[in-house]
Amino acid sequence: MAGPDAMAELVAEAVGGSRSALARLISVAERGGEGSAALEAALLPCRGESYSIGITGAPGAGKSTLASALTTELQTAGERVALLAVDPSSPLTRGAILGDRVRLQPHLGNPEVFIRSMASRGHLGGLAMATCTARRVLEACGWPLVLIETVGVGQAELDVAGATDTVLVVLNPGWGDEMQANKAGLMEIADIFVINKADRQGLEATRRDLEAAIAANAPTRRPAIVETVATEGTGLNALREAIADHRQQTTASGEHQRRRQARAVTELRDLARARLELALEAQLAGAAGKALADAVTRRETDVDSAARRLLATLFTRSDPEQAP
């Protein structure tokens, strides 16, 4: 693990424009642990400001193609764009699965675009926390727009997408079983629904179904619906405008700031919970924890009293810097 001075130096290199330093910092975010904690501390003095856009949806919906096309659209409008393609960890390599990233190759070598595929390799707060740290790295390095694409619509992916300023939920005509199964969660986080592959049959029926679902599940939020054919670039201008409209509306209403405050609470809770679990495991594996377990087994004390004693031991720590 790099010390505070080395981490601060690496952050300074990345802020100064070094892409290799930026890539190394995101690797630190992926790994988590004390390296990530040192990174967060080193980022604190940085005063960058970025806007993040989450892109989620079922596999096969065309998210990578849409992300690439949206990157082109935004860059054509004069924006510098960073894209994090967030994948689950491979059970064998614990690295990001790069299957669809060939669709992003047209942007490779473009100085106005930064692309990184990343995974959680054991970050204390999970995939969402690792992504938030990576987003802060990009923010500190002056990337004003950060796109965050997830591979599916499971809870981990929804958590990642939900930690952004504008959430795009991508679906195709016909929805699909996975999208239907997660309809309630999608309605909760979606700011804009993107019906991609809109040249397929079933578009009108899907739009009617989606409008009915919005009316039933999100009557006060009314997410926008945009139709695209990402492979042809169709509808991307409308999507860019919908994102700009959502940003303007949430900023004017104060919702943007409220959402960022809520995200901070969620990050704090998740990381505190993860650290507490580590501390509990360490206590239970130690002599005191084993003694308490033995006492419960022999019915010398009840389990609730033992749990309270265990927690009391944890919360008598006087120095928060010594917490796991």
Side-chain angles (χ1 to χ4, degrees), residues 18-20 22-24 26 71 80-84 107 110-117 138 143 145 147:
S18 170
R19 290 201 169 210
S20 62
L22 174 54
R24 288 170 63 191
I26 293 178
T71 297
R80 296 177 70 239
V81 183
L83 171 61
L84 292 176
H107 303 292
N110 187 335
E112 300 303 308
V113 177
F114 178 84
I115 297 174
R116 172 65 182 257
S117 187
L138 291 165
W143 290 92
L145 276 179
L147 307 187

Side-chain angles (χ1 to χ4, degrees), residues 18-215:
S18 170
R19 290 201 169 210
S20 62
L22 174 54
R24 288 170 63 191
L25 290 178
I26 293 178
S27 293
V28 172
E30 285 182 302
R31 288 192 295 269
E34 295 310 310
S36 183
L39 171 57
E40 290 281 12
L43 291 173
L44 191 59
C46 301
R47 289 293 180 263
E49 183 71 25
S50 68
Y51 193 85
S52 56
I53 301 166
I55 304 174
T56 191
K63 297 185 300 297
S64 291
T65 303
L66 182 72
S68 179
L70 180 57
T71 297
T72 298
E73 176 69 25
L74 291 167
Q75 204 207 338
T76 301
E79 301 281 5
R80 296 177 70 239
V81 183
L83 171 61
L84 292 176
V86 182
D87 291 346
S89 294
S90 162
L92 296 179
T93 66
R94 297 184 66 80
I97 299 170
L98 302 173
D100 284 341
R101 304 309 163 223
V102 292
R103 294 173 176 82
L104 303 172
Q105 286 184 353
H107 303 292
L108 298 180
N110 187 335
E112 300 303 308
V113 177
F114 178 84
I115 297 174
R116 172 65 182 257
S117 187
M118 64 173 290
S120 170
R121 302 177 185 175
H123 196 294
L124 262 183
L127 190 58
M129 185 66 75
T131 306
C132 287
T133 301
R135 189 195 69 235
R136 280 190 283 272
V137 169
L138 291 165
E139 185 173 66
C141 293
W143 290 92
L145 276 179
V146 180
L147 307 187
I148 300 175
E149 177 205 347
T150 71
V151 295
V153 287
Q155 188 57 54
E157 288 90 350
L158 293 184
D159 288 345
V160 170
T164 58
D165 297 310
T166 296
V167 181
L168 312 183
V169 173
V170 186
L171 61 149
N172 302 144
W175 282 71
D177 294 341
E178 188 171 0
M179 298 293 283
Q180 290 284 5
N182 290 278
K183 185 182 289 186
L186 296 172
M187 291 294 158
E188 185 176 336
I189 70 165
D191 297 307
I192 301 170
F193 281 100
V194 182
I195 307 178
N196 192 34
K197 305 181 183 180
D199 52 347
R200 291 185 174 182
Q201 289 186 342
L203 172 63
E204 292 183 3
T206 296
R207 188 177 185 106
R208 286 196 302 270
D209 186 26
L210 184 54
E211 288 172 345
I214 290 172

